[in-house]
Amino acid sequence: MTSAANGLPRTLADDLRQRSDGDLEVLFRHRPDLLAPVPADMTALVARAGTRLSLIRALDRLDRFTLQVLDALTFAADPVDPAELQRLVPAPADDLAGAVRTLQEHALVWGPPDALHVVRAVREVIGTTPGGTGPVLATALAGCPPGRLQHLLGELGLPGTADPPSALARLRDTLGDPESLTRLLATAPPGANDLLDKVDAVGNGRVSRTDRVPSGHEPGTVLEWLLARGVLVALDAETVVLPAEVAVARRGGALYPRPQVTAPPGEVIAVGVPAVEAAGVGQVMTTVRLVEQVLAAWSADPPPVLRSGGGLGVRELRRAQLLLDVDPVQAAL
């Protein structure tokens, strides 16, 4: 049964159309920029919600745990079920459900709880290094010659295939499985895990002479052994990365093994009157600078007067907001 037949949304637009007025009010409260100016229809609203600037503003309003959940959703295969999300972010189910609800309220994630979809543009904004790892295998090995893929499969003892997507799938199944990776690394030269720890700590590492194709059957370094089996992937002559699937497998199958569900306790710092006065002066100077920007722009191109005889049109307010690079509330002030 298709999504259309059972009433489930097939796109973000379908999801928004099924939301109640109260749900849309929550969305606009979280993302007020979607209302400036008021979108003509649902198509315009969806297009605006997927713009890079709007998404960056929405992500800036999320806490760390919710961002970790979103990162896990972008890493997992689409659509994502609760069990997969629980594996990648081993947090209490109620906390995960709350984070997913927040992401849906922000129109960053849509779909039913058992088949969650991430808005496509969100993946582009978040980037290709989930959880501080390297890129996924498909990205790290993009443009890799078929012969190189066959070489990796052979070093791992896997059957070859002339189809690159099938080769990548076999590599993901083996290197992304914690048990298979553990067995493989048990045969690695001494120091392999230490090197992987160092690379994982920064997402990528810089070493020399990784441009040659290594073979695990010849004497060489630990790095060459790892490159020969795809545990590390050389991006260029000096850079190697730890693919995301390998990093997750080494972390026991979790993207965030220790998710930060609650924010760390804040530290109260006492400030004196001079510091407060200095901050106030800084805000005054900022306000004066913004007013000067508006006056300079309007002296060259005055905004039209509303028919009511006063006030500023929504479109002109939006132009002022873009000019000043501030939020709608600050622009209105």
Side-chain angles (χ1 to χ4, degrees):
M1 182 178 294
T2 64
S3 297
N6 57 25
L8 296 177
R10 295 178 298 174
T11 62
L12 175 61
D14 288 345
D15 186 276
L16 293 179
R17 289 190 183 97
Q18 295 180 13
R19 297 191 183 189
S20 65
D21 292 344
D23 293 334
L24 292 177
E25 182 181 353
V26 171
L27 169 62
F28 296 139
R29 189 163 59 246
H30 287 312
R31 301 176 63 178
D33 59 290
L34 298 182
L35 281 177
V38 176
D41 51 30
M42 188 61 68
T43 301
L45 174 61
V46 172
R48 189 178 303 169
T51 59
R52 183 176 183 85
L53 180 58
S54 180
L55 289 173
I56 291 176
R57 289 173 174 168
L59 294 175
D60 284 343
R61 296 185 175 96
L62 302 178
D63 59 53
R64 177 175 296 183
F65 176 67
T66 305
L67 286 172
Q68 290 177 343
V69 172
L70 180 60
D71 206 15
L73 290 171
T74 59
F75 170 76
D78 187 78
V80 188
D81 62 71
E84 177 69 2
L85 181 59
Q86 181 77 53
R87 180 181 69 85
L88 294 172
V89 186
D94 290 343
D95 293 316
L96 284 176
V100 170
R101 184 166 54 252
T102 298
L103 294 171
Q104 290 176 317
E105 290 176 350
H106 283 73
L108 302 173
V109 172
W110 60 274
D114 58 345
L116 297 171
H117 303 266
V118 179
V119 174
R120 184 177 304 173
V122 172
R123 300 177 183 273
E124 301 173 1
V125 173
I126 288 182
T128 59
T129 56
T133 68
V136 296
L137 275 168
T139 301
L141 295 174
C144 185
R148 173 63 176 150
L149 295 177
Q150 300 307 310
H151 174 84
L152 293 174
L153 291 174
E155 292 292 343
L156 293 172
L158 301 175
T161 172
D163 179 42
S166 299
L168 285 172
R170 293 179 183 179
L171 290 173
R172 282 196 303 266
D173 291 342
T174 299
L175 297 176
D177 179 66
E179 295 183 0
S180 297
L181 184 63
T182 299
R183 290 194 298 268
L184 175 65
L185 293 179
T187 65
N193 281 297
D194 292 338
L195 177 58
L196 293 176
D197 287 338
K198 293 178 181 178
V199 179
D200 193 17
V202 295
N204 65 73
R206 293 189 174 273
V207 295
S208 61
R209 296 184 64 187
T210 64
D211 53 336
R212 72 184 192 88
V213 178
S215 171
H217 299 299
E218 64 185 52
T221 65
V222 174
L223 174 62
E224 291 172 339
W225 191 95
L226 295 171
L227 288 171
R229 290 154 181 80
V231 181
L232 291 177
V233 176
L235 296 185
D236 51 45
E238 295 183 350
T239 307
V240 297
V241 294
L242 180 67
E245 292 90 343
V246 180
V248 170
R250 293 190 73 244
R251 299 174 186 179
L255 186 63
Y256 290 97
R258 292 174 293 278
Q260 188 171 354
V261 178
T262 58
E267 180 181 359
V268 179
I269 301 176
V271 297
V273 174
V276 175
E277 291 179 345
V281 171
Q283 290 299 316
V284 171
M285 295 178 63
T286 299
T287 302
V288 172
R289 176 178 59 81
L290 294 177
V291 170
E292 288 179 342
Q293 281 186 260
V294 172
L295 292 178
W298 285 355
S299 64
D301 184 15
V305 179
L306 295 179
R307 293 183 179 180
S308 59
L312 190 67
V314 173
R315 181 173 300 177
E316 295 303 321
L317 176 60
R318 176 64 173 170
R319 289 179 57 190
Q321 177 191 346
L322 295 176
L323 170 68
L324 303 178
D325 192 22
V326 296
D327 61 48
V329 176
Q330 288 178 294
L333 175 62

